[in-house]
Amino acid sequence: MSVDTVTPEQLQVARTRAGLSPREHGFHVDQLEPRLVEASKPDALAEALLQPDAEAPWLVLSGPVGSGKTHLAIALLNHWMDTRHLMGRFVSVANLLLRVRSTYQANAVETEFAVVQELGQTPLLVLDDLGAGYKTESQHAESVLLGILDERYRWERRLIITTNLSETRLEQALEPRIMSRLRGRAQFVTCGTADLRYLEGRGTLAHKSDS
């Protein structure tokens, strides 16, 4: 996208290319559920992402299933793309690992190196759901994640991670070199303890939030 004039249609195309569904195109920082706003202070996070490259923190959004952390991450991605007119990418860790495994096939159309470079260089990357199940993956999967984070760390590119693990449990689950990079650059944000989907199902919420 150009940093000059961008039409609404171009923004919609950019959101789709970023990996967002049509429904997720409408996730905005000013429309989040009040409980999530109170816990995470999204306006301050959105402002932090707009800081110069060297000053913009990585964000690790943690909370239980249904706490709204993915909704918040997408809202921040949309806000950043709308404001900066630069590309971003949204990818779940599960799909990332599937994509990497597909590069091992004889008829693969891309290489593992290409995946790491693409996700390492995109201006803003959202890695969704770095959870407890990640520890069951191979050491090779950890090397891929380390390669992406290392590329982003070296070139001072923005990163948002969502996880259902606390900072302490994340440290237990991740390889020390990965955690070292997170501690060196990331701001850890707790998105609350309530399952907003459950509360919505009981009719106590006005807005819907995802995991």
Side-chain angles (χ1 to χ4, degrees):
M1 291 190 297
S2 168
V3 296
D4 300 319
T5 302
V6 177
T7 67
E9 291 76 16
Q10 288 174 317
L11 284 173
Q12 295 302 313
V13 170
R15 288 189 175 100
T16 299
R17 289 178 177 172
L20 301 182
S21 70
R23 174 174 164 269
E24 292 166 341
H25 291 188
F27 289 7
H28 298 292
V29 172
D30 60 356
Q31 297 176 354
L32 297 171
E33 204 280 327
R35 291 174 190 246
L36 181 57
V37 171
E38 182 178 359
S40 62
K41 306 297 188 292
D43 288 342
L45 300 181
E47 186 65 27
L49 286 174
L50 296 178
Q51 297 301 310
D53 291 349
E55 300 174 20
W58 289 359
L59 300 176
V60 178
L61 310 179
S62 66
V65 172
S67 60
K69 54 190 179 293
T70 296
H71 194 130
L72 171 59
I74 293 173
L76 291 170
L77 173 60
N78 280 333
H79 179 79
W80 187 83
M81 291 175 66
D82 289 351
T83 305
R84 293 293 300 270
H85 298 167
L86 293 172
M87 280 301 299
R89 286 281 283 132
F90 175 92
V91 60
S92 71
V93 172
N95 284 342
L96 167 62
L97 297 179
L98 286 173
R99 182 179 173 189
V100 169
R101 282 200 290 270
S102 73
T103 67
Y104 308 152
Q105 299 175 2
N107 60 346
V109 296
E110 64 179 348
T111 64
E112 178 186 312
F113 177 78
V115 175
V116 170
Q117 288 294 297
E118 175 194 330
L119 298 182
Q121 294 179 10
T122 189
L124 172 58
L125 174 66
V126 177
L127 282 177
D128 186 49
D129 201 18
L130 184 61
Y134 174 79
K135 199 169 184 178
T136 65
E137 294 290 339
S138 68
Q139 290 183 342
H140 188 72
E142 287 196 322
S143 71
V144 170
L145 181 60
L146 178 62
I148 293 171
L149 266 59
D150 194 49
E151 186 77 7
R152 304 194 69 77
Y153 192 93
R154 290 176 55 244
W155 293 96
E156 298 179 334
R157 300 190 187 281
R158 293 160 181 77
L159 174 68
I160 301 173
I161 292 175
T162 74
T163 179
N164 59 1
L165 302 180
S166 66
E167 185 174 348
T168 300
R169 291 184 61 203
L170 196 63
E171 186 170 15
Q172 296 169 350
L174 296 179
E175 199 262 6
R177 290 176 295 173
I178 295 175
M179 197 64 197
S180 174
R181 282 156 179 75
L182 291 181
R183 288 199 182 281
R185 187 73 190 268
Q187 175 182 340
F188 290 80
V189 180
T190 301
C191 295
T193 58
D195 185 336
L196 300 182
R197 289 199 193 97
Y198 172 73
L199 294 176
E200 183 189 23
R202 297 182 63 187
T204 58
L205 295 182
H207 301 287
K208 183 174 183 180
S209 290
D210 289 344
S211 65

